[in-house]
Amino acid sequence: MKLYTLEVADIKSYALALVFVAGNIVLPQLCHLIPSGGLILLPIYFFTLIAAYKYGFFTGLLTAVASPLINHLLFGMPPVDVLPIILIKSSLLATAAAYAAQRTKEIKILNILLVILFYQGIGMIAEYALTNSFAAALQDIQIGFPGILFQLIGGYFCLKAIAKW
């Protein structure tokens, strides 16, 4: 299994981030074909998890920030009022995934679960602080539970599939 920590000066960081951002553009577009698909499946986070876990903090953070901004500029999704919290949660996800991979040096479903619990837990607190709405803060857990499962199971199998690259 190969896990990397690509640096700011490494051109591979930017090339890989571009690939993961493309994934974070295509996957949400496909999910939005389903009514409330974005809210249910949380697709904007999927490739951020993969990027940060496999290629480290910088590649993950670049993916985390660029994905929602480019999606918003191209498609108006996510809407501007939820863009700050998505950026916060994406950044938390990139940080936690890169840390877990660096610390454990292995792909385990428990590690990915802890990453998801961290970014969702801290993200809920941040969302409540920004919106003053407990309902909004719980939305990813209540409505987006299938997306959390997709991140956990799909993320695990995707990381395992690319483990030797």
Side-chain angles (χ1 to χ4, degrees):
M1 173 187 55
K2 295 179 183 176
L3 298 173
Y4 302 92
T5 303
L6 300 179
E7 302 296 329
V8 175
D10 192 341
I11 193 72
K12 280 179 67 175
S13 296
Y14 299 93
L16 287 165
L18 185 63
V19 170
F20 290 117
V21 168
N24 271 348
I25 290 172
V26 172
L27 185 59
Q29 290 307 307
L30 293 173
C31 290
H32 284 293
L33 296 174
I34 302 166
S36 299
L39 294 173
I40 295 168
L41 298 173
L42 307 173
I44 195 77
Y45 303 116
F46 186 76
F47 288 103
T48 300
L49 170 67
I50 306 304
Y53 207 100
K54 177 73 176 171
Y55 296 103
F57 177 71
F58 181 72
T59 305
L61 188 62
L62 193 54
T63 304
V65 172
S67 296
L69 292 175
I70 292 171
N71 267 300
H72 175 75
L73 291 173
L74 292 176
F75 306 107
M77 295 298 284
V80 72
D81 58 323
V82 296
L83 202 51
I85 192 59
I86 289 177
L87 287 166
I88 290 168
K89 286 183 178 181
S90 291
S91 299
L92 287 166
L93 173 57
T95 303
Y99 177 79
Q102 182 72 23
R103 179 101 170 136
T104 66
K105 306 248 188 276
E106 56 189 4
I107 300 166
K108 288 194 171 183
I109 203 144
L110 178 61
N111 296 351
I112 297 169
L113 177 61
L114 292 173
V115 166
I116 292 168
L117 291 173
F118 174 81
Y119 99 84
Q120 282 292 337
I122 303 299
M124 279 192 289
I125 294 167
E127 189 163 6
Y128 180 75
L130 288 173
T131 64
N132 205 25
S133 168
F134 195 64
L138 288 177
Q139 180 173 287
D140 276 6
I141 301 298
Q142 292 176 321
I143 299 171
F145 190 73
I148 290 172
L149 288 177
F150 175 64
Q151 290 169 32
L152 178 63
I153 296 165
Y156 173 78
F157 284 112
C158 186
L159 285 165
K160 281 294 199 179
I162 64 171
K164 296 196 190 293
W165 292 1

